[in-house]
Amino acid sequence: MRRGRAGAHPGCVTSYGLPPYPPPETMVVPGRASGGGVPDELSLVLAQAAVSAIESVDGYAGGIFLCSRDPELLRLSVLAGLPTQLFRPWWRMHVNRPFPIAEAYRSGKSVHLADVEEGMRRFPQLMTGMPFPFGSLYVPVFGGQEKFGVLVVLRPATPGKPVSQADRCALRDIAHRLGAELAGLAAGGTKVVWDGEPVPVQLPSVTVPPVRIGHFDWDIETGAVDADAELCGILGTEPARFPGTIDALMALLAPEDVYGLWTLARRAASADGLLVRRMRLRGPDGRTNLLELSSRWTQPPHSSAAGTLTGFLMDLGAGPVIAEAADRLPRGMFSLDRLGRITYVNQLAEELLGRQRAELVGSLLWEALPWFGHPAYKDHHRAALLSHEPVHFLARRTERDWLAVSLYPGHDGVTATLSATEEPSFPPDDSVAWGEGLGSPVEGAAGVYRPVALAIALTEAVTARQVSAVVTQELLPAFGGRQLAIYLLHERHLSLAWETGFSHGFLNRFDGVGLDAHLPGVETLTSGRPIFFESMQRLASAYPNMPLDVSVGARAFLPLIASGRPVGSCILGFEQPRGFSPKERTVLTALAGLIAHALERAQRYDTESAVARGLQNALLPHRLPVLDQVDTAGRYLPGTQGMDIGGDWYDVIETDRGLALVIGDVQGHGVAAAATMGQLRSAVRAFALSGHDPQEVMSGTNRLLIDLDPGQIASCCYIVLDPATGRTRLVRAGHPHPLLRHPDGTTEVLELPGGVVLGVTPEATYPVSSLRLPPGAILALYTDGLVEQAGADIDDGVERLRGIIEAADAPSLAGMADLVIREARREPDRPDDIAVLLAARWVGARGA
């Protein structure tokens, strides 16, 4: 039966029934406190939204990815219903990766994956790292025009059954309300960004029979708590010693339970009628308690006071009957909550695990039983949590002790059964390995995710710096590295191209070393084989005369070789000694090959970019004509992605028919686009100086482009202005409409008729428009890179530019052009280059 469904959502035909979030002033929430104190407002809002979203669609886990200080990176801010440490590889998500979180953020549209088949079809990279049967839903979170992040919900797979309209509406509404709250926090001065670790949040529990019951009343406005003796007894304190505050009560709870309790309180406080909710809390003795919170108000109806919440805390305790029954089982048994905390251990499990119940209950599984943190076992745990299906495997607890382990997942946690078993007759592989010494093998499915993410990112990196940044972002976290250095080969010397994490200036002494130097970074390249040192002592023994920056740690030296050609070498540094398993060595060597190919491609790009930039600088006008009655100003801004240099151009030409203003945009980037741009600029200039009218100039340029480069297209706007009379004739070939700023400052878009872009058909015609430009008026011509943004309508971009020009208070036309370019630079992600040409007609002498 679906939980929490009631009411109706305006605009959706189905109902979903979650109470709206209360506004921030509904509850008094102090600043962040340490330990079990009150969470900060941002974390609380995020936790509440995540829990509401999970419950609204019968999910079992979820979270919220928020923007970070890095505009290219989203970070997991809260994770509800899953252990945060178990999902560390997925804490970060780059916005340009082919994963559903990134797509929802980029496109502004929700992504719904009903089952693993749909996930594999649409996002194979995601399923490579998480090959488990589950459904997932991803909803972008907006506050007005600002993107904040993505709301994620995981739930059981529904093969062949698409996500229902009711569930889509429910999540969309929750994301909308969350965006509004985040926008309110941002307006109030809170930075809605996330750069730390995700906050773990416990989900409300299903009904559990109570054993012991304590009662309390919570005054929301003052924070006072009136607790009875039974409650104090459950929490392990004397009534006389209980301070009577919510802070004191929460100090007795685990931090992750604090977020869940505050979320529950907010929802109860915002309910129109009686709302009763339950969740599990861990007490100071590690035992699990069941909290029931209800909104029974003590203030008069319609009062603005916050009121009082009534709570009951039920001690599930040792449950002597249940414990005795479990102790009679012939198998060891223990249970975990969804966050990985041990909640119960039977007698035989104590013996098999070699630990007492009191030592285990309340602890995280991997902290209490470190051997359970083996990558393969963590992979099995992930599979159980995500698939909700039983998982069975063999585990080696000590050198000689083997256990048959079964994990049975449910909504509130996982039950594990254990039984002793004999050592397998086959040689153990990595899935049952134990005691790898200093090693840290690649983690199963999680270990696949990082190399896949690195490979994807390397295909998108263009420059050598972008390649190096990708390696820093993806390779280091995958293997726990802290330092990275990349050297590139040039004329038989290795030059330092990138470094991070090393002591300042330490690597300078190795910059420019020759290939005859006795150094591991050189020898790994000349020999073509990787070199691994499990400790700095081993490195010092192999290279006694080589300076070292630290006395502890480990190093990996990888050759960067692409198709048999040496490119350079890569150095990975680790803070602690560690071994390198055969699997790790193989993966690192393969990744080094990918890095080498990416760097080789980047070097070709750098060469082509330099040529293209030289062409661009040579072909664009270095100065514009100076006239008495017309002032002009042109600007060019390269894009921030890809080849940077494109085919945008502008020109001002003095002709017998008047002053010709030209702006155009050749499709594509790089040398080819720049070369085509130069040819078109020369063609337009030749037609204009030959006395042709605007329509003939455009038609002739169109036919020339088709002859020069079939398949290439370009847009263009050509205007001829008579400085004396202001008579203006305009023609447009698929180019954005120019803007006209009137002498009083009002600015409009000139909706000109036009023909198709140049290069499509030789029969294309280009109609000519006419107007009279009054003194003091300004024409603004621009290319589409100035007004296009991913996920936004180009008309919105044109309107934004119109507003900038209308509001501009620049002292000169050049100042106005600079202002337009400054505004364009505010957008860090510019896939296209930009050209701007402004022309103003004055009365009498220029500028009068």
Side-chain angles (χ1 to χ4, degrees):
M1 180 177 179
R2 175 153 293 189
R3 303 176 300 278
R5 292 247 170 177
H9 171 245
C12 288
V13 295
T14 52
S15 61
Y16 63 92
L18 284 175
Y21 297 152
E25 64 270 20
T26 301
M27 301 187 69
V28 178
V29 182
R32 179 184 292 277
S34 60
V38 179
D40 67 277
E41 182 72 4
L42 176 59
S43 300
L44 182 56
V45 166
L46 295 171
Q48 180 186 4
V51 172
S52 299
I54 293 166
E55 290 193 337
S56 71
V57 295
D58 287 341
Y60 53 72
I64 297 171
F65 282 81
L66 275 191
C67 296
S68 65
R69 287 188 177 89
D70 183 345
E72 298 295 314
L73 189 66
L74 301 176
R75 285 188 177 271
L76 182 61
S77 58
V78 299
L79 181 61
L82 291 173
T84 56
Q85 293 301 319
L86 204 59
F87 290 85
R88 177 182 285 273
W90 292 272
W91 284 7
R92 303 158 62 254
M93 175 59 61
H94 287 270
V95 299
N96 61 344
R97 301 292 186 263
F99 294 96
I101 295 167
E103 178 168 308
Y105 180 81
R106 289 193 310 267
S107 67
K109 299 178 181 179
S110 299
V111 175
H112 307 104
L113 304 178
D115 54 27
V116 66
E117 286 76 15
E118 186 175 8
M120 184 62 73
R121 184 176 66 254
R122 296 181 58 187
F123 299 97
Q125 298 87 353
L126 170 71
M127 305 315 296
T128 299
M130 303 178 73
F132 315 119
F134 65 94
S136 53
L137 305 95
Y138 311 83
V139 186
V141 178
F142 286 84
Q145 296 297 317
E146 186 171 359
K147 292 182 180 180
F148 288 116
V150 178
L151 174 67
V152 182
V153 175
L154 306 181
R155 67 180 191 177
T158 56
K161 182 181 178 182
V163 178
S164 69
Q165 184 64 25
D167 289 343
R168 295 169 186 252
C169 281
L171 288 183
R172 188 166 60 244
D173 186 74
I174 290 171
H176 176 75
R177 296 202 308 268
L178 174 60
E181 282 211 76
L182 295 180
L185 290 176
T190 300
K191 291 186 177 180
V192 186
V193 295
W194 201 272
D195 286 289
E197 295 186 359
V199 171
V201 179
Q202 181 68 292
L203 292 175
S205 172
V206 296
T207 302
V208 178
V211 176
R212 206 163 39 139
I213 301 177
H215 170 269
F216 68 95
D217 292 313
W218 176 4
D219 189 307
I220 299 301
E221 184 171 6
T222 66
V225 173
D226 183 16
D228 64 9
E230 192 73 7
L231 180 83
C232 293
I234 294 173
L235 295 179
T237 185
E238 298 288 337
R241 296 181 180 177
F242 183 64
T245 66
I246 189 63
D247 284 34
L249 176 63
M250 291 187 176
L252 300 172
L253 305 175
E256 55 266 33
D257 291 339
V258 171
Y259 285 97
L261 179 56
W262 271 101
T263 297
L264 200 60
R266 278 195 162 209
R267 296 190 61 206
S270 65
D272 294 331
L274 177 65
L275 178 70
V276 179
R277 301 297 295 162
R278 288 181 171 184
M279 72 177 297
R280 294 190 181 194
L281 300 176
R282 189 182 70 182
D285 59 353
R287 295 191 301 179
T288 300
N289 305 308
L290 185 67
L291 171 77
E292 180 177 288
L293 200 63
S294 60
S295 53
R296 297 186 177 95
W297 300 106
T298 58
Q299 83 275 29
H302 310 298
S303 169
S304 60
T308 302
L309 293 178
T310 297
F312 297 90
L313 192 65
M314 289 153 275
D315 177 21
L316 304 181
V321 176
I322 298 175
E324 289 177 6
D327 284 339
R328 298 188 191 105
L329 292 175
R331 283 190 172 190
M333 183 182 75
F334 67 88
S335 61
L336 309 167
D337 66 11
R338 295 287 301 187
L339 301 187
R341 297 176 301 194
I342 301 173
T343 56
Y344 175 75
V345 181
N346 76 349
Q347 184 175 326
L348 185 54
E350 287 183 288
E351 298 175 11
L352 292 171
L353 296 175
R355 300 286 300 276
Q356 295 297 311
R357 188 176 307 179
E359 299 176 281
L360 297 174
V361 172
S363 302
L364 281 172
L365 174 65
W366 313 280
E367 294 177 358
L369 303 170
W371 58 271
F372 236 108
H374 186 279
Y377 308 157
K378 291 168 73 174
D379 223 19
H380 291 310
H381 194 175
R382 271 190 291 265
L385 289 170
L386 293 180
S387 68
H388 271 214
E389 296 179 357
V391 174
H392 313 280
F393 59 96
L394 296 181
R396 185 156 59 175
R397 185 177 71 85
T398 68
E399 185 70 39
R400 298 182 178 180
D401 296 329
W402 289 78
L403 297 174
V405 182
S406 295
L407 303 179
Y408 299 92
H411 179 271
D412 294 323
V414 177
T415 296
T417 62
L418 307 166
S419 60
T421 187
E422 296 181 356
E423 181 176 355
S425 57
F426 54 86
D429 58 17
D430 281 348
S431 66
V432 293
W434 178 89
E436 297 255 346
L438 298 175
S440 176
V442 176
E443 294 193 18
V448 173
Y449 168 76
R450 283 295 186 198
V452 168
L454 174 64
I456 294 169
L458 286 176
T459 63
E460 300 169 351
V462 178
T463 67
R465 289 190 62 83
Q466 288 174 343
V467 172
S468 302
V470 163
V471 176
T472 302
Q473 295 163 355
E474 301 292 352
L475 187 65
L476 286 185
F479 294 88
R482 291 294 180 268
Q483 296 92 27
L484 170 72
I486 292 179
Y487 288 84
L488 296 179
L489 180 64
H490 180 65
E491 296 181 354
R492 297 189 57 79
H493 288 78
L494 288 174
S495 301
L496 182 61
W498 180 273
E499 66 168 305
T500 182
F502 287 92
S503 302
H504 179 68
F506 171 74
L507 294 179
N508 291 343
R509 70 197 72 192
F510 305 110
D511 191 10
V513 298
L515 293 185
D516 57 349
H518 181 56
L519 294 169
V522 173
E523 293 180 2
T524 189
L525 180 62
T526 56
S527 67
R529 59 180 180 83
I531 306 174
F532 299 93
F533 296 99
E534 290 81 0
S535 67
M536 297 304 288
Q537 289 77 11
R538 293 191 178 184
L539 176 57
S541 298
Y543 297 88
N545 298 322
M546 186 177 116
L548 302 178
D549 58 332
V550 292
S551 59
V552 296
R555 291 283 190 271
F557 297 85
L558 307 174
L560 301 179
I561 300 174
S563 302
R565 294 185 297 274
V567 176
S569 58
C570 175
I571 304 172
L572 298 180
F574 303 85
E575 288 185 344
Q576 299 297 325
R578 54 160 292 165
F580 297 90
S581 69
K583 180 186 293 185
E584 272 189 316
R585 294 173 185 241
T586 300
V587 171
L588 282 171
T589 303
L591 292 178
L594 290 178
I595 297 168
H597 280 283
L599 285 170
E600 185 184 46
R601 186 179 67 247
Q603 289 176 320
R604 289 198 302 268
Y605 159 81
D606 289 336
T607 301
E608 184 178 349
S609 180
V611 174
R613 191 176 297 277
L615 274 174
Q616 188 86 11
N617 291 335
L619 295 173
L620 286 176
H622 294 281
R623 58 185 300 274
L624 300 178
V626 178
L627 304 175
D628 288 338
Q629 293 176 296
V630 177
D631 192 10
T632 58
R635 296 292 185 271
Y636 174 80
L637 180 66
T640 59
Q641 297 180 4
M643 182 50 71
D644 293 341
I645 303 302
D648 292 17
W649 92 92
Y650 61 85
D651 204 355
V652 178
I653 311 165
E654 294 182 83
T655 75
D656 294 339
R657 293 176 176 269
L659 188 68
L661 310 171
V662 190
I663 194 162
D665 182 2
V666 177
Q667 183 188 53
H669 296 83
V671 174
T676 302
M677 176 271 284
Q679 293 173 313
L680 289 187
R681 177 174 179 252
S682 298
V684 171
R685 176 172 283 271
F687 284 125
L689 292 174
S690 299
H692 292 285
D693 63 27
Q695 194 276 337
E696 293 171 335
V697 170
M698 198 64 71
S699 297
T701 305
N702 173 56
R703 289 190 295 271
L704 179 65
L705 177 59
I706 292 174
D707 293 338
L708 286 174
D709 191 356
Q712 179 63 278
I713 61 174
S715 67
C716 185
C717 185
Y718 181 83
I719 299 175
V720 178
L721 166 65
D722 185 340
T725 64
R727 182 172 181 266
T728 306
R729 304 185 70 197
L730 312 91
V731 63
R732 190 175 63 87
H735 200 81
H737 298 284
L739 302 179
L740 172 61
R741 173 169 161 151
H742 296 279
D744 63 358
T746 58
T747 304
E748 64 172 313
V749 179
L750 293 178
E751 299 285 352
L752 304 178
V756 298
V757 292
L758 305 175
V760 174
T761 172
E763 290 78 24
T765 59
Y766 300 95
V768 178
S769 303
S770 298
L771 60 84
R772 189 169 297 277
L773 195 68
I778 299 174
L779 281 171
L781 288 73
Y782 54 91
T783 54
D784 56 11
L786 185 62
V787 292
E788 282 187 338
Q789 285 186 348
D793 193 299
I794 191 171
D795 291 338
D796 295 335
V798 173
E799 177 58 26
R800 184 173 59 253
L801 175 61
R802 190 201 64 77
I804 292 171
I805 292 178
E806 183 171 272
D809 190 23
S812 65
L813 200 65
M816 181 181 291
D818 291 337
L819 172 64
V820 171
I821 292 298
R822 278 199 306 272
E823 291 296 324
R825 288 184 187 275
R826 294 180 184 273
E827 180 61 44
D829 184 15
R830 300 190 308 274
D832 202 359
D833 50 347
I834 293 169
V836 177
L837 178 61
L838 304 180
R841 180 173 175 251
W842 307 109
V843 177
R846 180 170 59 91

